[in-house]
Amino acid sequence: MEEAKGEEVTLFGFWSSPFVHRVIWALNIKKIKYKYVEEDLCDKSALLLEHNPVYKKVPVLVYNGIAIADSLIIVEFIEETWKENSIMPQDPYEKAVARFWATAAGDGLWQFFITEGKEREEALTSVINNFELLEKELIGKNFFGGDRIGYLDISVGWISYGVPIFEEITEFKIITEQKFPLLHAWMEAFSNSEFVKDTLPPREKLSERYRNVWEAIMQKKN
Amino acid sequence: MAEKEVKLFGNWASTFTRRVEWALKLKGIEYEFVNEDIPYNKSEELLRLNPVTKKIPVLVHNGKPLAESLVILEYIDDTWTEGYSIMPKDPYDRAQARFWAKFADDKCISAMSGVSTSLGEAQQKMLQEAREAFQTLEQALGSKQYFGGDQIGYLDLAIGLFAFWMPILEEIVNVSVVDDENAPLLKEWFARILDVDMIKTSLPHRDKMYELSKQRREQFFSGQISRLN
C-alpha cells in the first residue's frame, strides 16, 4: 500500500486477530491508505509498547503520531476522522443498537468453544438466543448496515469465519441455513464483499491457528 | 395516566445506573425510575426489554429499549442535542474518553471486586493490581479539574460514583487504594466531583450503601452468593 501524502496512518496488528481485522475492514471501506506492521505477539515491538502502554495489545492505530487502541474505539475514530463513506447509522437509536450488538453478539461464543458438558450447553443456549435476535436485525437487509457494510457488520464480521471454524473444531453446527437463513446469507455476502475478500489469511491457516489455541486450552484443563 | 417518555430500569446502588441518571439530569430530561432488585429478583419487564444480557440499566425511550450504560450515555448525548454537551467534540478526545471509561469498567471495578472477595496473600496481589489500575486511570485526568476539562463530561459521569463508593469499600475491607501516595490527583478529583451540585444532590444514602456493601461481602464469604455483583 502506498503511503498517503500529508497523513500517516499505521496499523499494528497480528495476522489472525479478529480485532485487527475489524480495523482493516474499516480502513478499506473508508479507502484509507495505511502502513501495516505485523507484530510478533511473543516478542512485542518497542513501538507497540510505546503506543499502547496500558494494554500492550494489537490493534493499535497511529495517525499523525497519535495512538488509538481498542478495535471498536479505533473504528469509531476512523468514522469520525474521515467523513466520506460513512459506516455508522445516522439515527441515534440505530447507532446505539449497533454499538450494543458490536460487543454483545459474541457473548457466549468463546465459552462455547472452550468448554464442555453442561458449561457448553449453557453457553450454546446463550449463543442461540443472541443469534435469533441478531437474525431479526437482518430482516429486509443484505447487511446489518442496510445495502452496504456498516459498523455492525465490521464489528461482528469475525463471526463469518470464526463460527465455521469453531463448528469445525467442536464438530457442532450452530449457524445452519435452515435455522438462521439470514445470518447464513449474511456470512457469505460479507466474506465475498470487496472490502473483506482479500483481507483474510487462507482458511486452513486460520483453522490451524484456532485449533492450536483450542488444544492448548483443552490440555490445560485436563 | 400518560406513560413517561423516558423510563429507566436500574438499581439505586449501581455505578452503571447512576451514570445514566446523571446524564439525564444534566440534560434536564424527566424520567421514570424503576428500581430492580438485582441480581436474583429481576422483573419480567426487564427480562423482556433486555433478553440479551438481562442486566440493568435499561433505558426505554418512546417505547424503544437500550442496554449497556456507556452506549446509553452516548445515545442521550446524540438524541438530546440542546443543552449540556456530554461527549467531547474532537475525534481523538472522544476516543480517549471511551478508552478510559472502558478501562475503568474492565480493570478498576474488577480489581476492587477482587480486593473485596479475597484474603491474605491473594488479597495483597489484588490490592497491588487495584492500586496500579487507579494510578493508571489518573493519567487520563492529569492536571485538569475534571476528566472533561473545566466542566464534567462523559468520563466524569461514567466513573463519578467511584468517588462515593471507593472510600466506603476501602473502609470495610481496610485497604487503601486511592490515596495521596498512589493517586493524589484522582483523590482530589474524588472530592471535586462529589461537590458538583447535580451530583451532590443525586447520591445514594451513605449508610445504606455501607450496609449493602458490608452485607454483600459477608454473603460472599459465607458462600451465600458467588459474586459481588
Side-chain angles (χ1 to χ4, degrees), chain A residues 24-25 28 191-201:
Chain A
I24 290 173
W25 296 329
N28 284 356
S191 308
N192 291 324
S193 140
E194 54 172 313
F195 307 109
V196 176
K197 218 164 31 165
D198 302 316
T199 62
L200 293 176

Side-chain angles (χ1 to χ4, degrees), chain A residues 3-213:
Chain A
E3 235 172 71
K5 296 185 175 81
E7 283 190 345
E8 264 198 37
V9 182
T10 307
L11 172 63
F12 292 79
F14 184 70
W15 65 275
S16 68
S17 164
F19 306 106
V20 173
H21 296 154
R22 284 171 168 165
V23 180
I24 290 173
W25 296 329
L27 290 166
N28 284 356
I29 291 168
K30 291 287 213 178
K31 304 195 198 304
I32 298 163
K33 294 192 191 337
Y34 64 100
K35 179 177 146 201
Y36 179 79
V37 176
E38 174 75 11
E39 284 286 327
D40 176 358
L41 295 186
C42 301
D43 187 18
K44 293 172 182 175
S45 73
L47 258 183
L48 175 67
L49 299 178
E50 184 195 314
H51 288 311
N52 187 5
V54 177
Y55 290 108
K56 306 175 172 58
K57 287 183 174 176
V58 292
V60 173
L61 190 83
V62 182
Y63 172 57
N64 288 347
I66 60 171
I68 301 106
D70 191 284
S71 60
L72 294 179
I73 291 174
I74 295 172
V75 171
E76 293 228 34
F77 175 80
I78 289 169
E79 165 74 352
E80 289 168 5
T81 304
W82 288 270
K83 304 289 184 199
E84 282 170 25
N85 303 303
S86 187
I87 54 179
M88 274 307 228
Q90 288 305 298
D91 174 67
Y93 184 73
E94 283 176 40
K95 205 188 284 198
V97 169
R99 284 175 175 147
F100 170 82
W101 277 118
T103 49
D107 275 359
L109 263 174
W110 188 250
Q111 283 307 104
F112 164 80
F113 185 47
I114 63 166
T115 58
E116 290 166 312
K118 189 156 179 281
E119 259 188 288
R120 167 175 288 184
E121 266 174 52
E122 273 172 28
L124 182 61
T125 304
S126 181
V127 168
I128 288 178
N129 189 38
N130 288 348
F131 283 178
E132 281 170 356
L133 292 165
L134 216 50
E135 176 90 356
K136 293 199 174 115
E137 293 291 326
L138 283 170
I139 292 173
K141 303 194 281 190
N142 291 329
F143 300 104
F144 291 105
D147 291 327
R148 317 179 284 124
I149 287 181
Y151 169 84
L152 185 50
D153 300 277
I154 290 170
S155 303
V156 307
W158 63 271
I159 284 176
S160 71
Y161 65 75
V163 168
I165 290 175
F166 284 4
E167 289 172 341
E168 189 189 297
I169 294 172
T170 60
E171 294 176 348
F172 187 94
K173 229 155 157 33
I174 309 176
I175 301 181
T176 62
E177 205 174 338
Q178 291 79 18
K179 192 137 209 281
F180 299 106
L182 299 179
L183 216 47
H184 192 262
W186 169 81
M187 278 168 55
E188 228 182 278
F190 182 82
S191 308
N192 291 324
S193 140
E194 54 172 313
F195 307 109
V196 176
K197 218 164 31 165
D198 302 316
T199 62
L200 293 176
R203 175 58 62 92
E204 311 81 57
K205 205 175 165 210
L206 261 179
S207 265
E208 199 195 327
R209 165 91 185 161
Y210 276 76
R211 188 175 285 277
N212 291 340
V213 169

Side-chain angles (χ1 to χ4, degrees), chain A residues 93 100, chain B residues 6-11 14 16-17 20-21 24 31-36 42-43 45-61 63-69 72 75-76:
Chain A
Y93 184 73
F100 170 82
Chain B
V6 179
K7 205 168 173 184
L8 176 65
F9 291 77
N11 180 272
S14 154
F16 309 109
T17 301
V20 174
E21 288 199 88
L24 292 168
Y31 63 97
E32 183 192 336
F33 183 75
V34 176
N35 192 66
E36 288 283 330
K42 294 173 183 176
S43 71
E45 198 177 359
L46 174 68
L47 299 178
R48 186 179 52 81
L49 291 167
N50 182 10
V52 184
T53 63
K54 304 174 175 62
K55 286 181 176 176
I56 49 116
V58 171
L59 184 85
V60 184
H61 180 211
K64 297 194 285 190
L66 272 180
E68 284 309 303
S69 58
I72 296 171
Y75 171 77
I76 288 169

Side-chain angles (χ1 to χ4, degrees), chain B:
Chain B
M1 184 159 63
E3 214 183 288
K4 273 240 167 71
E5 188 181 290
V6 179
K7 205 168 173 184
L8 176 65
F9 291 77
N11 180 272
W12 66 272
S14 154
T15 298
F16 309 109
T17 301
R18 192 66 52 160
R19 51 175 67 147
V20 174
E21 288 199 88
W22 287 341
L24 292 168
K25 285 187 201 292
L26 263 187
K27 294 280 197 183
I29 300 162
E30 275 189 37
Y31 63 97
E32 183 192 336
F33 183 75
V34 176
N35 192 66
E36 288 283 330
D37 181 8
I38 55 164
Y40 301 117
N41 219 10
K42 294 173 183 176
S43 71
E44 281 303 307
E45 198 177 359
L46 174 68
L47 299 178
R48 186 179 52 81
L49 291 167
N50 182 10
V52 184
T53 63
K54 304 174 175 62
K55 286 181 176 176
I56 49 116
V58 171
L59 184 85
V60 184
H61 180 211
N62 291 332
K64 297 194 285 190
L66 272 180
E68 284 309 303
S69 58
L70 296 178
V71 171
I72 296 171
L73 279 190
E74 295 216 37
Y75 171 77
I76 288 169
D77 205 40
D78 287 340
T79 305
W80 285 274
T81 50
E82 316 275 300
Y84 204 95
S85 199
I86 292 174
M87 290 296 284
K89 293 277 176 276
D90 176 72
Y92 179 67
D93 293 337
R94 289 160 73 87
Q96 287 298 93
R98 288 165 177 153
F99 176 87
W100 288 113
K102 198 155 176 255
F103 175 84
D105 283 357
D106 287 347
K107 297 289 178 193
C108 299
I109 291 183
S110 62
M112 285 313 293
S113 197
V115 168
S116 344
T117 56
S118 55
L119 299 163
E121 220 179 283
Q123 187 184 58
Q124 285 309 306
K125 185 164 174 278
M126 295 279 18
L127 181 60
Q128 184 55 31
E129 263 183 51
R131 284 175 70 83
E132 274 169 26
F134 279 91
Q135 195 178 71
T136 303
L137 182 62
E138 195 183 63
Q139 286 172 42
L141 180 64
S143 58
K144 296 181 295 195
Q145 286 288 289
Y146 304 102
F147 288 95
D150 293 326
Q151 297 189 111
I152 61 172
Y154 169 85
L155 193 47
D156 300 278
L157 294 181
I159 63 176
L161 202 66
F162 286 23
F164 179 76
W165 59 256
M166 279 292 291
I168 293 173
L169 205 52
E170 285 171 330
E171 190 183 315
I172 292 170
V173 181
N174 195 26
V175 292
S176 184
V177 178
V178 174
D179 54 37
D180 289 324
E181 185 217 319
N182 190 44
L185 300 175
L186 198 60
K187 184 156 175 258
E188 281 169 19
W189 173 83
F190 273 17
R192 217 174 286 132
I193 194 79
L194 292 178
D195 203 40
V196 170
D197 273 336
M198 182 277 292
I199 289 185
K200 204 159 45 179
T201 54
S202 175
L203 289 170
H205 205 268
R206 197 190 190 269
D207 291 346
K208 221 177 152 195
M209 185 66 124
Y210 187 95
E211 281 313 308
L212 179 70
S213 306
K214 191 156 166 274
Q215 186 189 66
R216 283 246 175 91
R217 196 165 171 255
E218 282 165 6
Q219 283 175 334
F220 175 83
F221 282 120
S222 70
Q224 286 174 63
I225 57 174
S226 55
R227 321 170 348 199
L228 282 191
N229 49 3

